[in-house]
Amino acid sequence: ASTIVPGGPRQAITPLALGDVASLRQYHSRWKPFLEEVHALDIRVQATFSLVNLWGDHEQNTGFFHYYSDQWEEDFLGPRHIVDPRELLERDRAGNFIRDGQAGWYRYGGCVNNPHWRTLLKAMVQEGVNAGFDGFMVQFPHARSPCACLHCQQRFRAFLQSRYSAEVLSQRFGIDEVESHFFAATGP
């Protein structure tokens, strides 16, 4: 988290993740006394939040996948809206997960057009607000991959239809049937 003292210096406070904490609830509980103390000094605290990046390995059930499947805190974050966390991820044109890194600890992207991913992000941000953070800096919002999942296909089709007529889509882009056209990528 970062702090800004009105009229004073800026400071970065870490760790962003505490290794000896077993749950998000415990993590937020660690921050509450600190936040109350600095708020009494009229200091505001901003948390860092990743819009798309998550880490782990879906095959080895590590990181995010382990948390989501085995440790989800329903009383803290609300119900899981889907059972399989892989349904939240960005996919390439062949339907494979978009990831980099190494076995055991890959970096994946949650799909920003997936309504279940958005619901999960909102729940996490709400708990950050409840913990007392004053704001959030979205980390790596540009890190979106060229996702071709169903949600991105639908959103991109809607985007094109809202801006171009069927005639323009056909003549300018070679898209004769936008509703059934498959886009190899919809992002960067």
Side-chain angles (χ1 to χ4, degrees):
S2 298
T3 62
I4 299 175
V5 178
R10 297 178 183 195
Q11 292 180 295
I13 298 174
T14 56
L16 294 176
L18 303 172
D20 61 340
V21 175
S23 70
L24 283 177
R25 179 187 301 284
Q26 289 176 347
Y27 180 76
H28 285 203
S29 293
R30 282 249 178 113
W31 278 101
K32 280 186 175 187
F34 169 78
L35 293 169
E36 290 170 2
E37 185 179 325
V38 298
H39 285 155
L41 300 171
D42 198 28
I43 298 171
R44 301 292 170 244
V45 182
Q46 169 187 294
T48 302
F49 190 82
S50 180
L51 183 64
V52 295
N53 292 333
L54 56 101
W55 287 264
D57 188 324
H58 74 278
E59 293 169 332
Q60 296 182 25
N61 195 36
T62 61
F64 172 79
F65 301 96
H66 176 66
Y67 177 79
Y68 191 90
S69 297
D70 302 326
Q71 296 180 308
W72 185 258
E73 300 164 85
E74 187 169 322
D75 62 329
F76 187 64
L77 294 170
R80 287 181 290 183
H81 294 276
I82 58 168
V83 174
D84 188 342
R86 295 174 299 175
E87 293 180 34
L88 301 168
L89 303 178
E90 295 176 322
R91 307 243 179 180
D92 65 18
R93 70 182 82 186
N96 300 312
F97 303 119
I98 300 172
R99 66 182 186 181
D100 57 31
Q102 59 189 11
W105 206 250
Y106 292 105
R107 182 185 62 84
Y108 297 79
C111 176
V112 297
N113 286 316
N114 183 320
H116 301 298
W117 179 250
R118 288 180 178 202
T119 297
L120 183 145
L121 294 177
K122 288 175 187 177
M124 290 186 175
V125 168
Q126 183 59 57
E127 286 309 320
V129 170
N130 293 345
F133 289 104
D134 299 294
F136 296 89
M137 179 185 78
V138 176
Q139 188 179 35
F140 309 118
H142 59 280
R144 183 173 178 262
S145 298
C147 187
C149 77
L150 174 64
H151 302 288
C152 286
Q153 296 289 325
Q154 292 171 341
R155 293 288 300 253
F156 194 57
R157 287 180 186 123
F159 167 81
L160 290 174
Q161 289 173 315
S162 72
R163 286 164 177 76
Y164 304 103
S165 68
E167 182 179 330
V168 170
L169 287 170
S170 178
Q171 291 176 356
R172 193 170 179 189
F173 301 110
I175 300 172
D176 294 322
E177 295 290 331
V178 71
E179 286 299 326
S180 61
H181 188 86
F182 180 78
F183 298 96
T186 63

